[in-house]
Amino acid sequence: MNYGTLLISKAIEANDPNALLRFNIAEADLPTQGERKAFRYVMQYAEQHRGQAPTAEMVTNEVPDFQPDFNIEASYDYLAKNLKEQAAEREFIELVNGRIDPETNRQVKAPQLAEKFEAAQKSGDMGSFFEWLTKQAESLKMRTNVRNSVGTDIKRDIDKFKAEYENRKAGESFRIWRSKFDFINRAMGGYVSSNVYVIYGKSGRGKSAIALEEVVNCAMQGANVLIWSMEMGWYEVLVRLYVSISGSLGVTTATLNGVNMEAGFNSRDVRQGNLNEEFEAGFMEFLGQLNDILPGNITVRGVDDEDFGSRTLRDLKSDIIETKADVVLVDPFYYLDYEANTSKTAGGDAANTSQKLRRLAGHTKATIFALTQADEEDEKDSEDGPRELKLPQRKGVKKTKALLEDAALLIAVDTNAKEGRGMIGLNKGRDGGEGESAEIIYLPQIGVVKQPEAGEAAAAQFEF
């Protein structure tokens, strides 16, 4: 069946040329020269005559090799879907066999599939071939997309709204992950799926530690977590994760300012494989029980993973789909392989990547934490010695200012591990909360990173 002819004819008969736009029909979807000429003529006529379609006689007079067919009972949606599937099939055949000019019966396009495969074999770079093949498959899939409306209609789509409301009520299409820090939950209600949250601070001030605490807390709520760690190796990340989890369980007891508190294994001893016999036995028992301890799961990509050479958003999307990730940590954002700078402006590559990361969160319905650095400032210790905790301002987001606009929440961090204290603040919240902050106990080396409870001191030297 000639779906292209039927679609154009239906648009002419119904005086609705905009239907071809609504259903995302492109000239390249049409198989014959006559249909493409008729398509161009109908669209140009509509543009010049306020959306009106030309008559059938006008079209056949202008394009003699196009013959309208008005015996049409099928819907636009049906015709458009089949037309696009046929177009994708033709494109696939061209990849495999090349393209033959029907008029001259000569090949005008070489078969790309065999050509690319042979080149990859010769160079020994099969990875690039598979990357190209994946792009072609995604392009073909996109080719079959049919858009039958623009956006969501506030009146017409009430049933669509009700269905989404019920899904959210059941927790199926919408999740809120509680923060480990109560003041964030009070201010924001937690972290919402399909959003990007940016955690930033100066170098060495605990950004990664705070982020790991948050994603561990999400995994404790049942989330599948994906961590892209582009500065730390996988072993270091796992040490931090295990210490954090053990701290939340209180496998050991520590004393701060004379107050006993639950703590975890010592990260330095775990990192160096230097736990004493008693603690090593306890640590191995803890690892053996991890399936029961952690309701969700955490997958780590470390900087030293051999298969972690490509760090594009396409790769990130693939990993999100593969791991079924609900929560994603990108540490740090500026180590991603940036998207092309299509705007040709300074910082355009980072800005384009930030925008597409936000879009990726929406498409995958994942909650994404992106880490970046704050601008450095000269600091001086106070007269009494200890450094004053100072949260970076929102204008201090370094590397890309686009994160300011694309993030649902900016979380500023400053810590002092030597003194066992820190501060977290909210500098921009799309849903409110700007200006909220809280001091925390900050002892990540033993898995204690939390808001202080009654009787606990947040700022004091800790001996261990």
Side-chain angles (χ1 to χ4, degrees):
M1 187 178 291
N2 198 331
Y3 296 107
T5 297
L6 292 176
L7 259 172
I8 296 170
S9 301
K10 190 176 180 73
I12 294 169
E13 186 177 36
N15 193 20
D16 186 16
N18 282 333
L20 301 174
L21 293 177
R22 290 199 309 274
F23 286 84
N24 202 27
I25 304 303
E27 187 177 328
D29 294 328
L30 301 164
T32 69
Q33 204 59 339
E35 288 169 311
R36 289 193 285 272
K37 287 180 182 178
F39 176 84
R40 285 198 299 270
Y41 175 67
V42 169
M43 299 313 295
Q44 287 170 2
Y45 186 92
E47 187 176 344
Q48 295 167 3
H49 296 85
R50 297 185 178 183
Q52 298 296 304
T55 64
E57 290 77 10
M58 294 168 69
V59 177
T60 53
N61 184 60
E62 186 73 24
V63 188
D65 49 350
F66 175 79
Q67 294 300 317
D69 184 348
F70 295 122
N71 298 314
I72 314 161
E73 295 182 0
S75 67
Y76 281 121
D77 188 72
Y78 174 83
L79 295 173
K81 184 174 183 296
N82 281 279
L83 175 67
K84 285 188 165 290
E85 286 181 352
Q86 285 185 346
E89 183 180 345
R90 287 197 309 275
E91 190 171 328
F92 177 74
I93 291 171
E94 285 185 9
L95 283 176
V96 177
N97 298 326
R99 181 157 60 85
I100 306 295
D101 186 337
E103 294 183 6
T104 63
N105 204 31
R106 295 176 62 182
Q107 189 171 72
V108 294
K109 190 174 183 181
Q112 286 184 276
L113 189 65
E115 184 181 289
K116 293 282 186 181
F117 182 76
E118 185 178 347
Q121 277 189 317
K122 286 181 179 178
S123 66
D125 184 12
M126 292 303 293
S128 63
F129 170 73
F130 289 122
E131 184 177 348
W132 172 83
L133 193 60
T134 299
K135 288 180 181 178
Q136 300 306 312
E138 288 183 357
S139 175
L140 290 171
K141 185 178 178 182
M142 289 287 292
R143 188 74 180 267
T144 63
N145 286 347
V146 175
R147 181 184 66 204
N148 57 18
S149 64
V150 177
T152 304
D153 190 295
I154 191 172
K155 295 178 180 178
R156 187 186 64 214
D157 294 325
I158 288 174
D159 287 342
K160 175 182 175 182
F161 177 84
K162 287 180 178 178
E164 178 65 12
Y165 177 84
E166 292 300 325
N167 285 338
R168 293 190 174 207
K169 185 177 178 180
E172 293 174 0
S173 67
F174 173 82
R175 286 297 305 263
I176 296 178
W177 306 102
R178 303 286 290 173
S179 171
K180 184 171 184 179
F181 307 101
D182 287 339
F183 87 99
I184 294 179
N185 293 323
R186 289 195 302 271
M188 302 290 300
Y191 300 114
V192 182
S193 59
S194 301
N195 279 315
V196 174
Y197 297 92
V198 172
I199 300 176
Y200 73 112
K202 296 174 187 175
S203 179
R205 295 292 175 79
K207 301 182 298 293
S208 295
I210 297 299
L212 288 176
E213 291 295 327
E214 290 290 54
V215 299
V216 165
N217 197 58
C218 292
M220 285 293 192
Q221 297 167 65
N224 279 332
V225 175
L226 170 65
I227 297 175
W228 263 32
S229 176
M230 292 173 281
E231 285 187 314
M232 288 186 287
W234 66 267
Y235 185 81
E236 171 66 23
V237 178
L238 260 62
V239 167
R240 294 189 178 203
L241 293 172
Y242 291 147
V243 169
S244 172
I245 296 168
S246 68
S248 67
L249 297 176
V251 298
T252 63
T253 301
T255 303
L256 177 63
N257 275 357
V259 177
N260 290 335
M261 66 172 64
E262 295 181 337
F265 296 102
N266 188 300
S267 62
R268 181 179 58 196
D269 294 339
V270 177
R271 187 180 300 111
Q272 297 174 357
N274 197 33
L275 290 166
N276 64 39
E277 188 174 334
E278 180 184 353
F279 274 94
E280 184 176 282
F283 183 65
M284 294 305 164
E285 183 181 356
F286 159 77
L287 293 180
Q289 296 174 348
L290 204 57
N291 274 336
D292 298 323
I293 293 169
L294 196 66
N297 192 35
I298 303 176
T299 302
V300 176
R301 281 275 210 180
V303 67
D304 53 353
D305 285 352
E306 291 183 4
D307 61 346
F308 197 27
S310 180
R311 298 163 188 178
T312 66
L313 292 184
R314 185 186 298 273
D315 297 316
L316 180 59
K317 180 179 180 181
S318 176
D319 283 359
I320 291 172
I321 294 170
E322 179 69 23
T323 60
K324 297 181 173 61
D326 305 299
V327 175
V328 178
L329 172 58
V330 177
D331 182 10
F333 168 83
Y334 48 84
Y335 278 176
L336 287 169
D337 293 340
Y338 280 171
E339 298 290 305
N341 185 359
T342 54
S343 66
K344 306 300 181 185
T345 58
D349 50 354
N352 195 16
T353 305
S354 175
Q355 291 166 8
K356 289 189 176 181
L357 182 68
R358 172 70 186 88
R359 203 175 303 163
L360 177 62
H363 288 169
T364 59
K365 292 184 169 58
T367 299
I368 298 181
F369 292 93
L371 271 60
T372 193
Q373 201 165 309
D375 289 321
E376 299 289 341
E377 296 175 357
D378 291 335
E379 293 174 337
K380 295 180 181 179
D381 289 344
S382 68
E383 295 179 0
D384 297 329
R387 175 180 62 81
E388 178 186 358
L389 293 174
K390 184 180 180 182
L391 293 173
Q393 299 179 15
R394 58 189 294 174
K395 67 180 181 180
V397 174
K398 196 176 178 181
K399 308 293 183 182
T400 171
K401 303 299 181 184
L403 284 171
L404 273 169
E405 306 301 326
D406 299 322
L409 179 68
L410 288 177
I411 304 171
V413 173
D414 190 19
T415 63
N416 189 327
K418 289 182 179 179
E419 298 173 8
R421 63 196 182 99
M423 180 176 284
I424 302 173
L426 311 183
N427 277 355
K428 170 229 170 181
R430 192 176 294 145
D431 298 316
E434 186 165 343
E436 298 285 342
S437 64
E439 289 204 19
I440 61 170
I441 299 173
Y442 184 73
L443 299 165
Q445 63 271 32
I446 55 169
V448 180
V449 180
K450 63 177 182 176
Q451 281 186 249
E453 299 172 5
E456 292 179 339
Q461 188 71 27
F462 183 77
E463 301 289 345
F464 64 95

